[in-house]
Amino acid sequence: MATCLPFRVVPFKPSSSTRAAKITCSSVAAQSRLAKQDLLSLIADQDRGLKTQADPARRAAIIDAIDALADLGKGTVTTGTDLSATWRLLWTTEKEQLFIIQNASVFGTRAGDVLQVIDVGRKVLNNVITFPPDGVFFVRSTIQVASQQRVNFRFTSAVLRGKSWEFPLPPFGKGWFETVYLDDEIRVVKDIREDYLVVDRAPYAWTE
């Protein structure tokens, strides 16, 4: 695979060798766009992963699409400042998140946006599930960049919050995740438990 990043244009002086590199990079970018479109098409009607739980064939196809993007993203750096954002869940295999999304009605509410809020510079991550209009459950974590694509995390606290009340919960665990693909729109993740996550950049910044 070429060492250039998909969707990044690097100025260069034309020569026989750089023309070949340009073709290779363009090919990688085109393949990435097609693989990304394929993945987004596969997850579009999956209700953030709820429907996928009962459809092994679709799950396998989605993971194949993720693996294709991961292959194209090998060698790229996904743990820099571009990782800092409010990321909104599109699809996941994480059973805990899907359970809460599916059963929010038990508490007389519904699950809204499910978010990962990452700040690489401050070394923090919040996992957030919103319950409109006023409820939220979030887990605070510290993070440490471990490699070009891997980030280690440690949970530090959790909070269930309503409009006029807050219930703290103890921290529970640590692990790592790898961002195997990252661009200006989406991020694709595999974690220590071999769960998968596809998120897009939310059109807003979530804060506590």
Side-chain angles (χ1 to χ4, degrees), residues 148-182:
Q148 287 185 323
Q149 296 194 336
R150 180 172 292 192
V151 171
N152 296 329
F153 64 86
R154 180 185 293 274
F155 298 125
T156 57
S157 65
V159 174
L160 182 62
R161 179 181 293 166
K163 184 175 182 178
S164 58
W165 56 270
E166 180 173 301
F167 184 73
L169 299 166
F172 49 91
K174 60 182 180 177
W176 56 259
F177 63 84
E178 291 181 344
T179 297
V180 298
Y181 180 82
L182 174 71

Side-chain angles (χ1 to χ4, degrees), residues 7 9 25 27-29 31 48 56 67 72 79 85-87 105 124 133 140-141 150 153 155 161 167 171 185 200:
F7 311 121
V9 178
C25 293
S27 175
V28 170
Q31 291 177 60
R48 294 190 280 196
D67 288 341
L72 291 165
T79 51
T86 296
W87 298 97
S105 60
V124 296
R140 301 183 185 98
S141 307
R150 180 172 292 192
F153 64 86
F155 298 125
R161 179 181 293 166
F167 184 73
E185 296 177 329
D200 69 356

Side-chain angles (χ1 to χ4, degrees), residues 91-171:
W91 180 87
T92 189
T93 60
E94 293 181 359
K95 292 181 176 61
E96 292 86 356
Q97 286 194 16
L98 293 174
F99 179 84
I100 294 173
I101 294 169
Q102 188 170 32
N103 294 281
S105 60
V106 172
F107 302 100
T109 185
R110 62 180 179 85
D113 284 347
V114 179
L115 309 167
Q116 272 196 339
V117 186
I118 299 175
D119 189 322
V120 174
R122 294 176 56 225
K123 299 182 179 180
V124 296
L125 176 152
N126 281 330
N127 287 299
V128 182
I129 300 178
T130 63
F131 302 102
D134 302 307
V136 64
F137 171 67
F138 62 94
V139 180
R140 301 183 185 98
S141 307
T142 58
I143 59 172
Q144 183 71 45
V145 172
S147 69
Q148 287 185 323
Q149 296 194 336
R150 180 172 292 192
V151 171
N152 296 329
F153 64 86
R154 180 185 293 274
F155 298 125
T156 57
S157 65
V159 174
L160 182 62
R161 179 181 293 166
K163 184 175 182 178
S164 58
W165 56 270
E166 180 173 301
F167 184 73
L169 299 166

Side-chain angles (χ1 to χ4, degrees), residues 22-35:
K22 182 182 179 183
I23 292 170
T24 302
C25 293
S26 176
S27 175
V28 170
Q31 291 177 60
S32 296
R33 283 194 295 270
L34 289 173

Side-chain angles (χ1 to χ4, degrees), residues 19-69:
R19 278 197 298 273
K22 182 182 179 183
I23 292 170
T24 302
C25 293
S26 176
S27 175
V28 170
Q31 291 177 60
S32 296
R33 283 194 295 270
L34 289 173
K36 173 183 168 181
Q37 290 168 7
D38 182 41
L39 173 60
L40 293 178
S41 176
L42 285 166
I43 67 174
D45 63 350
Q46 293 301 292
D47 197 11
R48 294 190 280 196
L50 290 174
K51 293 181 180 179
T52 316
Q53 296 180 102
D55 190 344
R58 178 63 69 92
R59 186 182 192 277
I62 292 170
I63 291 173
D64 284 346
I66 288 173
D67 288 341
L69 267 179

